[in-house]
């Protein structure tokens, strides 16, 4: 045995246990893939690239990931699969060498307001454990450290500090509660006690004893009267034990001067008697009733009816609709009541609200106790005198008790505010008074990751000896996870940041950091554009994190368009040559060196043979601007934004520098409220000028266009309504009396009722995957025979939905209303998708361009401001060229385009740059450079300048 041990060496290098050196894919036909075969090397960093819609996601997610998931599900028993459902087998002949697969996508960002960066990364869970086991409790009344004492310590304290004094030992049984407590007094008598202390007065127990049920009482049992001396230790010990037993771990002592002293086996403030429960991890959780603030239930925010929403325009009088819920004056009771109140203060319904004293408006909004007399219409000569409860008080009551319709109406007058009890910290005040090194858990959750990392450096030196013995393992886990977040460039986030406020790229990188922390080996990771939202400066961190994951023995497949990521990879697969029906083939693959030699559109852009051209002249704009002063939301530091109009303006800066806060959370809500009466309130700012220079604002964000197969580009852009109207005007439709609803696959009448307009039927296969088959009645056409008999140029409504956008442009060339919308889809590079393609099958880049096309197809006024958030998401170099052509067309018509972007191809062609920074989080929030790209490139501040300088040269 010893000899065997000597000759055995352990190889710690990653070992491929699958028996395959490569992942081999044969006959992949999912979506638009054209029966492709490919070989992907294992334990390498592999990039799949290609034009948007070429089939990258179909290969990576819908083929490789789907097959990995299916194999995992197949390992369950048939009985288990019947409960959890099965995954459909992807359309592929064979895949060899597949490891367990983990997908890290952008689309899985939680919308739950309770999910935060801290909960997802588990750092907050370890912090809860740290505070529960090592936190020092402080009284929220006096600020002093709380103590806990054993029975022996209490006895020692009494003998040492009250030498020879006569003491009364009390056991508290009622604290600050109402009631007559007749039964309690009977119970105390039965236990053999003869005296009680009620509201500070010691009384003898008498039969049928009770107290005033409507008053608040404190009741203690008089357990014993003792003299504090060492000879009587046994009796004192027994009495203390009895007092703690009846007081549930708490007791009180009254000394000769009638002063009360508090003692507890648990955490207690010896000065006031305030006691806390023994700390447990759930006391620090805002998702647990034991830790959550009771006012906001752990959300940190409350919804309340706001005075500003109820009285939006103070220049109006009450009779002209100054109080929004009431509207204009009508001859009804409520206006008569308000008129009577106003007369009391010598103003009337026609007085502008700004001239009515504040205290009078408070009476109208919140009510008072003074009865108001109103003449009766039914009984002339008589008056009704009643108290007025106030408009806001009435709305609050209806919010709780009204019908669903009323509650929806009241939402218009509500706004979200920081919880006044916890100031947004989400926790009970007891939980916030447990501290380590004079810091509570909420203060740590508010720090950005860099500050948090610094706080944990040498924290042991600020701990007590006992804390140092308990904390090492917890601190090790926390530091490790913080390190992973720093590695993927998320140093600017805070632990209390809700996940729903993160971009797709940020959420994806958090999940990546979590996966790095698990240190799994032999796994295939598939990622969807992890570089989204990442400045060039931080790209290196992300690439290194992926390489570390590869080096411990994993295979990394990344669907990506980023130049740096491609050149740093081990293997590139380019899918194309076109998009949709024109794609689905492998154009080139191999190591970056081989790939560049093989050629193709992607290789041409990487080599610099193709470029997005820099304009010879920058636009001067129309001379107008919007000036936003004093923006202070989140990390913004009193920023003044000067937005020139009639230009393409790019807002740049490292991740977390304040771009989204400035544009999405401050500027856009101001404009939205001004033009469309939006309910979303902007973050803090001082003033805004120049709103008259634009007459409409349109935001194109990254959310998907639809979550069901019934949503498609035709319905989303609104062109389907125009097509249905065209069909109703055909002679055949008029003869049959068909209306527009007849040509909708969502409405009874014209659709096929067998499949209810879906075109497919779902066959449930119990413990096998459910199968979608074309409907046997309509053969997948969605409509019944009568509807399909109505034809335009020989095509039925179903044939139109099956057309590609390119075909539809030719087909509807003489229908200007329809053509305008379809042509815009073609202009943004979506000519290959069909009008009726299910929204769920569109890639992220395609969905965003459908939204952009929808907005572009609307008639612009030449004074519209378009706001886009990273429109290059999911776009290939070639697609970015299409996008820029469309945006330039918009600006050339006189409109203004504001783009938040990291992509240098977009930044270099813009007319004006506003660069925020210099760092993320607390190190950002200022404008470090602004002007033309050439001017910003010369700046010495911020990181964008140095990368832009290289690009322009």
């Amino acid at each position: 045995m010893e000899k065997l041990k000597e000759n055995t060496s352990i190889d710690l290098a990653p070992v491929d246990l699958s028996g395959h050196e490569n992942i081999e894919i044969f006959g992949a036909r999912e979506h638009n893939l054209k029966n492709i075969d490919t070989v992907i090397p294992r334990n390498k960093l592999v990039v799949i690239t290609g034009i948007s819609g070429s089939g990258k996601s179909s290969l990576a997610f819908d083929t490789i990931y789907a097959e990995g998931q299916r194999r995992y599900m197949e390992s369950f028993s048939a009985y288990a699969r019947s409960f959890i459902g099965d995954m459909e087998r992807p359309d592929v002949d064979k895949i060899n060498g597949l490891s367990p697969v983990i997908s890290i996508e952008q689309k899985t960002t939680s919308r739950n307001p309770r999910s935060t960066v801290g909960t997802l990364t588990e750092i907050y869970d370890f912090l809860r454990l740290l505070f529960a086991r090592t936190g020092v409790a402080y009284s929220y009344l006096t600020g002093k450290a709380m103590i806990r004492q054993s029975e022996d310590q209490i006895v020692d304290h009494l003998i040492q500090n009250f030498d020879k004094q006569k003491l009364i030992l009390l056991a508290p049984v009622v604290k600050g509660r109402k009631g007559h407590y007749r039964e309690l007094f009977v119970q105390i008598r039965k236990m053999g006690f003869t005296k009680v202390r009620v509201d500070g007065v010691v009384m003898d127990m008498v039969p049928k004893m009770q107290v005033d049920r409507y008053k608040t009482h404190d009741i203690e049992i008089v357990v014993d009267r003792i003299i504090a001396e060492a000879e009587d230790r046994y009796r004192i010990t027994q009495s203390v034990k009895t007092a703690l037993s009846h007081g549930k771990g708490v007791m009180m002592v009254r000394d000769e001067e009638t002063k009360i002293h508090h003692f507890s086996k648990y955490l207690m403030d010896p000065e006031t008697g305030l006691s806390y429960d023994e700390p447990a991890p759930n006391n620090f959780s805002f998702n647990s009733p034991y830790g959550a603030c009771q006012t906001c239930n752990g959300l940190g925010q409350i919804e309340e009816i706001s005075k500003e929403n109820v009285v939006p325009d103070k220049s109006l009088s009450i009779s002209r609709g100054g109080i929004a819920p009431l509207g204009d004056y009508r001859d009804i009771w409520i206006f008569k009541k308000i008129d009577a109140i106003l007369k009391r203060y010598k103003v009337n319904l026609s007085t502008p609200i700004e001239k009515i004293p504040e205290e009078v408006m408070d009476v109208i909004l919140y009510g008072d106790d003074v009865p108001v007399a109103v003449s009766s219409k039914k009984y002339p000569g008589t008056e009704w005198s009643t108290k007025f409860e106030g408009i806001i008080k009435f709305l609050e009551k209806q919010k709780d008790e009204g019908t669903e319709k009323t509650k929806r109406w009241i939402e218009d007058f509500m706004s979200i505010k920081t919880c006044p009890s916890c100031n947004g910290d989400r926790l009970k005040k007891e939980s916030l008074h447990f501290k380590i090194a004079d810091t509570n858990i909420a203060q740590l959750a508010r720090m950005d990751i860099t500050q948090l990392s610094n706080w944990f450096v040498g924290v042991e030196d600020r701990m007590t000896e006992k804390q140092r013995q308990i904390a090492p393992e917890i601190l090790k886990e926390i530091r490790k996870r913080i390190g992973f977040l720093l590695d993927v460039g998320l140093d600017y986030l805070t632990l209390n940041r809700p996940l729903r406020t993160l971009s797709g790229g940020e959420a994806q990188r958090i999940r990546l950091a979590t996966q790095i922390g698990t240190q799994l080996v032999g796994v295939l990771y598939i990622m969807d554009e992890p570089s989204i939202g990442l400045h060039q400066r931080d790209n290196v961190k992300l690439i290194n994190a992926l390489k570390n994951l590869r080096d411990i023995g994993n295979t990394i497949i990344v669907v990506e368009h980023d130049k740096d990521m491609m050149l740093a990879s081990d293997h590139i697969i380019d899918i194309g040559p076109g998009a949709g029906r024109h794609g689905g083939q492998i154009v080139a693959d191999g190591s970056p060196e081989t790939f560049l030699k093989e050629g193709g559109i992607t290789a041409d852009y990487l080599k610099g043979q193709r470029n997005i051209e820099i304009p010879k002249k920058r636009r001067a704009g129309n001379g107008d601007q919007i000036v936003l002063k004093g923006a202070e939301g989140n990390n913004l530091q009193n920023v003044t934004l000067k937005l020139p109009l009639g230009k393409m303006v790019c807002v740049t800066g490292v991740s977390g520098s304040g771009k989204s806060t400035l544009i999405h959370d401050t500027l856009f809500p101001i404009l939205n409220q001004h033009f469309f009466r939006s309910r979303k309130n902007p973050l803090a700012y001082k003033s805004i000028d120049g709103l008259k220079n634009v007459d409409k604002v349109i935001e194109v964000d990254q959310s998907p266009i639809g979550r069901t197969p019934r949503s498609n580009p035709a319905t989303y852009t609104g062109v389907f309504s125009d097509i249905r109207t065209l069909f109703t005007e055909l002679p055949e439709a008029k003869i049959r009396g068909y209306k527009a609803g007849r040509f909708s696959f969502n409405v009874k009448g014209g659709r096929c009722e067998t499949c209810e307009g879906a075109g497919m039927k779902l066959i449930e296969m119990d413990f096998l995957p459910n199968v979608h088959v074309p409907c046997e009645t309509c053969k997948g056409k969605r409509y019944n025979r009568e509807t399909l008999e109505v034809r335009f140029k020989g095509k039925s409504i179903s044939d139109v939905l099956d057309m590609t956008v390119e075909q539809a442009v030719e087909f509807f060339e003489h229908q200007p209303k329809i053509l305008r919308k379809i042509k815009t889809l073609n202009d943004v590079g979506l000519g290959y998708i069909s009008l009726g393609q299910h929204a769920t099958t569109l890639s992220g880049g395609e969905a965003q361009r459908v939204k952009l096309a929808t907005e572009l197809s609307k008639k612009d006024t030449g004074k519209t401001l378009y706001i886009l958030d990273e429109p290059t998401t999911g776009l290939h170099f070639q697609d970015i060229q299409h996008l820029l052509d469309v945006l330039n067309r918009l600006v050339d018509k006189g409109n203004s385009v504001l783009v938040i972007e990291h992509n240098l191809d977009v930044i270099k062609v813009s007319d004006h740059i506003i660069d925020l920074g210099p760092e993320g989080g607390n190190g950002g929030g200022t404008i470090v450079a602004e002007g033309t790209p050439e001017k910003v490139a010369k700046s010495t501040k911020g990181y964008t300048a140095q990368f832009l300088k290289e690009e322009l040269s």
Side-chain angles (χ1 to χ4, degrees):
M1 191 70 181
E2 292 300 320
K3 196 170 185 182
L4 181 66
K5 281 184 183 175
E6 284 171 16
N7 295 330
T8 305
S9 65
I10 299 171
D11 183 9
L12 295 176
V15 179
D16 190 353
L17 303 174
S18 69
H20 293 273
E21 289 184 9
N22 301 308
I23 298 168
E24 299 163 344
I25 300 161
F26 300 100
R29 294 176 294 276
E30 195 66 34
H31 296 154
N32 66 331
L33 296 179
K34 295 190 169 67
N35 201 31
I36 63 173
D37 302 337
T38 187
V39 174
I40 297 173
R42 290 174 58 83
N43 300 333
K44 301 290 182 192
L45 174 56
V46 180
V47 169
I48 299 179
T49 190
I51 285 172
S52 180
S54 59
K56 305 181 299 296
S57 295
S58 298
L59 176 62
F61 292 100
D62 301 328
T63 304
I64 301 171
Y65 175 62
E67 176 63 9
Q69 282 289 84
R70 188 190 69 82
R71 290 183 187 183
Y72 171 61
M73 299 292 263
E74 286 291 323
S75 67
F76 295 161
S77 68
Y79 177 70
R81 294 203 305 276
S82 69
F83 290 103
I84 57 177
D86 277 82
M87 293 194 66
E88 207 170 320
R89 191 180 193 286
D91 193 358
V92 60
D93 292 338
K94 187 167 68 167
I95 301 182
N96 293 332
L98 199 58
S99 314
V101 186
I102 292 175
S103 154
I104 305 178
E105 295 183 76
Q106 302 166 36
K107 298 172 187 171
T108 47
T109 306
S110 170
R111 309 311 301 167
N112 186 343
R114 294 184 176 277
S115 291
T116 64
V117 171
T119 58
L120 183 64
T121 57
E122 298 177 357
I123 294 173
Y124 192 78
D125 297 323
F126 283 105
L127 281 180
R128 292 193 295 118
L129 182 60
L130 183 68
F131 273 83
R133 298 293 174 256
T134 68
V136 177
Y138 292 87
S139 167
Y140 60 73
L141 295 175
T142 63
K144 292 182 179 176
M146 302 185 83
I147 58 169
R148 51 165 76 82
Q149 294 170 305
S150 66
E151 290 168 6
D152 286 342
Q153 286 174 319
I154 294 170
V155 173
D156 289 341
H157 183 88
L158 295 179
I159 292 170
Q160 287 165 15
N161 293 287
F162 300 96
D163 189 31
K164 302 285 193 298
Q165 279 194 46
K166 292 178 182 175
L167 306 175
I168 298 177
L169 304 189
L170 305 167
V173 286
V174 172
K175 193 169 184 181
R177 294 206 312 267
K178 292 178 181 177
H180 54 64
Y181 295 110
R182 196 183 305 136
E183 294 83 4
L184 177 66
F185 289 130
V186 170
Q187 203 178 345
I188 292 170
R189 280 188 74 198
K190 283 181 179 175
M191 287 190 287
F193 297 106
T194 58
K195 290 182 185 288
V196 285
R197 183 174 176 263
V198 178
D199 301 331
V201 180
V202 176
M203 303 178 178
D204 290 319
M205 297 288 295
V206 293
K208 297 184 181 177
M209 187 174 180
Q210 66 180 67
V211 289
D212 188 338
R213 67 179 296 183
Y214 300 109
K215 288 184 179 175
T216 302
H217 300 288
D218 293 328
I219 302 172
E220 296 95 33
I221 302 170
V222 176
V223 174
D224 199 359
R225 294 170 177 240
I226 60 163
I227 296 172
E229 49 190 9
E231 300 84 60
D232 232 354
R233 186 181 182 91
Y234 178 75
R235 177 181 168 178
I236 295 170
T237 304
Q238 294 305 311
S239 298
V240 165
K241 196 174 283 186
T242 306
L244 289 171
S245 171
H246 290 293
K248 294 183 179 170
V250 177
M251 65 172 282
M252 295 153 65
V253 173
R254 194 178 87 168
D255 63 18
E256 289 176 344
E257 295 169 3
T258 69
K259 192 177 174 187
I260 297 295
H261 304 270
H262 300 271
F263 298 91
S264 173
K265 287 203 292 188
Y266 309 115
L267 288 167
M268 190 196 70
D269 178 0
E271 200 169 300
T272 60
L274 175 71
S275 62
Y276 294 169
D277 291 334
E278 281 300 301
N282 60 10
N283 290 120
F284 302 95
S285 169
F286 45 79
N287 294 327
S288 161
Y290 296 102
C293 166
Q294 290 173 333
T295 306
C296 62
N297 291 321
L299 292 172
Q301 297 174 323
I302 55 168
E303 274 194 328
E304 65 177 25
I305 294 164
S306 125
K307 196 173 175 179
E308 292 74 27
N309 291 351
V310 172
V311 186
D313 187 354
K314 290 189 174 182
S315 64
L316 295 174
S317 64
I318 295 174
S319 61
R320 288 188 55 210
I323 299 178
L326 300 183
D328 291 341
Y329 178 81
R330 286 159 292 154
D331 188 18
I332 55 175
W333 178 86
I334 186 79
F335 279 104
K336 290 181 178 179
K337 199 89 168 167
I338 292 172
D339 192 32
I341 293 170
L342 293 173
K343 279 178 183 170
R344 193 198 297 165
Y345 296 98
K346 299 191 171 106
V347 283
N348 58 48
L349 292 171
S350 301
T351 308
I353 289 174
E354 60 194 1
K355 293 185 177 172
I356 298 175
E358 195 72 28
E359 60 270 20
V360 180
M361 282 307 298
D362 283 345
V363 171
I364 291 167
L365 296 176
Y366 300 103
D368 66 5
D369 291 330
V370 181
V372 183
V374 177
S375 300
S376 170
K377 203 172 182 180
K378 194 172 181 181
Y379 305 103
T382 60
E383 289 185 333
W384 298 102
S385 282
T386 53
K387 291 175 184 174
F388 184 64
E389 68 177 327
I391 307 291
I392 288 179
K393 289 271 180 70
F394 172 76
L395 291 173
E396 283 172 348
K397 195 164 79 176
Q398 290 301 309
K399 180 173 69 106
D400 299 326
E401 301 170 5
T403 61
E404 284 305 313
K405 189 177 178 182
T406 304
K407 288 176 181 176
R408 281 197 299 275
W409 170 67
I410 289 171
E411 280 179 6
D412 292 338
F413 310 112
M414 299 187 74
S415 59
I416 295 170
K417 294 189 176 175
T418 301
C419 172
S421 298
C422 65
N423 293 320
D425 286 335
R426 297 178 165 219
L427 297 170
K428 287 179 179 176
K429 55 186 173 185
E430 291 92 335
S431 305
L432 295 172
H433 282 79
F434 282 81
K435 298 183 180 181
I436 296 172
D438 292 330
T439 310
N440 67 31
I441 194 167
Q443 289 169 319
L444 293 181
R446 284 178 185 273
M447 292 180 187
D448 63 44
I449 300 300
T450 305
Q451 291 172 317
L452 192 64
S453 176
N454 293 336
W455 189 87
F456 276 102
V457 172
V459 73
E460 290 91 343
D461 300 336
R462 290 168 276 153
M463 287 181 164
T464 63
E465 185 59 41
K466 185 183 174 187
Q467 288 174 323
R468 280 199 288 271
Q469 289 174 350
I470 300 168
E473 283 302 313
I474 308 173
L475 292 175
K476 181 179 161 191
E477 291 294 330
I478 292 172
R479 284 173 177 144
K480 191 167 73 176
R481 282 165 169 77
I482 289 173
F484 298 140
L485 285 176
L486 292 173
D487 288 346
V488 293
L490 293 173
D491 50 336
Y492 57 90
L493 292 182
T494 58
L495 294 186
N496 65 356
R497 174 90 174 261
L499 283 189
R500 60 182 180 173
T501 65
L502 300 181
S503 70
E506 285 171 333
Q508 193 177 197
R509 290 201 299 282
I510 284 178
R511 278 189 289 277
L512 171 59
T514 309
Q515 285 301 328
I516 295 170
T518 58
Q519 297 285 293
L520 295 176
V521 175
V523 171
L524 169 59
Y525 288 99
I526 302 181
M527 296 178 206
D528 186 10
E529 288 201 82
S531 68
I532 291 170
L534 207 56
H535 194 273
Q536 273 71 18
R537 181 198 72 165
D538 299 318
N539 250 0
V540 180
K541 288 182 182 176
L542 175 66
I543 292 167
N544 287 338
L546 295 178
K547 285 182 174 178
N548 290 339
L549 206 54
R550 171 202 67 188
D551 292 343
I552 61 173
N554 298 298
T555 308
I556 318 292
I557 295 178
V558 184
V559 176
E560 188 58 271
H561 297 286
D562 182 71
K563 193 186 293 184
D564 297 336
M565 184 78 77
M566 288 190 221
L567 296 174
S569 67
D570 303 310
H571 192 86
I572 305 176
I573 299 173
D574 188 14
I575 297 184
R581 297 175 188 189
H582 310 301
Q585 297 172 357
I586 291 178
V587 177
D589 72 339
S591 66
E593 296 76 23
T594 312
F595 181 81
L596 291 172
K597 286 174 191 168
E598 279 190 26
I601 294 177
T602 308
D604 289 348
Y605 275 102
L606 288 178
K607 286 186 286 191
Q609 289 179 359
R610 290 193 190 207
N611 275 311
I612 290 171
E613 294 297 325
I614 298 168
K616 292 182 174 65
K617 190 180 176 188
R618 309 284 179 188
R619 295 181 189 87
N622 57 21
D624 293 327
Q625 61 180 2
I626 292 173
V627 181
L628 172 66
K629 292 181 180 174
E632 293 183 327
N634 294 337
N635 65 333
L636 295 180
Q637 296 173 27
N638 197 23
V639 167
T640 295
L641 169 72
K642 292 177 183 172
L643 179 64
L645 300 175
K647 294 183 178 186
M648 185 163 129
V649 180
C650 222
V651 179
T652 62
V654 298
S655 304
S657 56
K659 303 183 298 296
S660 294
T661 300
L662 182 61
I663 305 304
H664 284 303
D665 300 332
T666 310
L667 178 65
F668 178 65
I670 295 169
L671 296 168
N672 218 6
Q673 280 186 345
H674 178 73
F675 294 117
F676 308 116
R677 298 264 179 111
S678 160
R679 282 181 58 217
K680 185 182 176 186
N681 290 322
L683 295 178
Y685 73 100
K686 284 177 186 156
S687 66
I688 187 162
D689 296 315
L691 292 181
K692 65 180 186 297
N693 299 324
V694 291
D695 61 8
K696 191 167 59 169
V697 62
I698 291 170
E699 184 184 43
V700 184
D701 61 16
Q702 297 179 19
S703 56
I705 68 164
R707 301 180 193 280
T708 68
R710 288 184 180 274
S711 178
N712 57 49
T715 56
Y716 187 84
T717 56
V719 73
F720 195 47
S721 300
D722 299 327
I723 293 170
R724 297 204 322 264
T725 304
L726 172 68
F727 270 79
T728 60
E729 290 169 356
L730 295 172
E732 184 70 27
K734 285 184 174 178
I735 291 166
R736 299 186 182 201
Y738 290 170
K739 304 293 180 201
R742 180 84 198 192
F743 298 98
S744 169
F745 51 78
N746 291 325
V747 179
K748 283 184 179 179
R751 72 182 184 184
C752 167
E753 285 306 320
T754 309
C755 62
E756 296 182 337
M760 309 285 281
K761 284 205 74 177
L762 179 73
I763 309 295
E764 292 188 3
M765 301 290 284
D766 205 7
F767 53 79
L768 285 172
N770 295 334
V771 176
H772 287 88
V773 296
C775 170
E776 69 275 8
T777 307
C778 67
K779 304 290 186 285
K781 292 186 178 292
R782 297 180 166 212
Y783 294 90
N784 57 30
R785 184 175 53 80
E786 292 82 5
T787 307
L788 294 172
E789 285 170 355
V790 178
R791 292 175 176 265
F792 174 69
K793 290 188 183 178
K795 301 284 186 186
S796 70
I797 188 83
S798 178
D799 296 332
V800 169
L801 284 173
D802 287 339
M803 284 181 186
T804 64
V805 170
E806 286 170 329
Q807 293 167 333
V809 168
E810 290 177 32
F811 187 74
F812 291 109
E813 61 182 332
H814 300 302
Q815 303 293 326
K817 196 174 180 185
I818 295 172
L819 182 65
R820 190 179 78 246
K821 293 179 181 177
I822 295 177
K823 194 168 184 308
T824 321
L825 280 171
N826 200 34
D827 291 345
V828 295
L830 292 176
Y832 59 89
I833 65 172
S834 63
L835 291 178
Q837 185 171 337
H838 297 163
T840 50
T841 65
L842 294 173
S843 71
E846 288 168 338
Q848 195 169 19
R849 281 186 291 162
V850 168
K851 295 176 90 170
L852 185 60
T854 306
E855 298 302 343
L856 298 181
S857 66
K858 294 174 182 173
K859 286 185 179 174
D860 61 81
T861 54
K863 290 178 75 176
T864 303
L865 172 62
Y866 294 89
I867 297 177
L868 294 90
D869 183 12
E870 288 199 75
T872 58
T873 299
L875 298 193
H876 185 268
F877 306 107
Q878 188 79 3
D879 300 316
I880 293 171
Q881 184 65 66
H882 285 305
L883 174 74
L884 289 170
D885 292 343
V886 175
L887 296 180
N888 283 321
R889 210 172 73 207
L890 274 177
V891 182
D892 291 339
K893 285 183 180 177
N895 301 297
S896 307
V897 172
L898 178 61
V899 183
I900 299 174
E901 192 53 88
H902 290 289
N903 188 294
L904 286 166
D905 287 322
V906 177
I907 296 170
K908 73 182 182 186
V909 302
S910 61
D911 304 309
H912 188 88
I913 295 172
I914 298 167
D915 189 31
L916 274 80
E919 300 290 340
N922 292 339
T926 59
I927 293 176
V928 293
E930 55 187 318
T932 62
E934 287 76 16
K935 183 182 174 184
V936 170
K938 291 174 185 170
S939 170
T940 54
K941 295 178 181 175
Y943 294 94
T944 306
Q946 63 197 60
F947 290 101
L948 187 58
K949 191 184 291 180
E950 288 174 34
E951 197 71 23
L952 291 174
S953 63

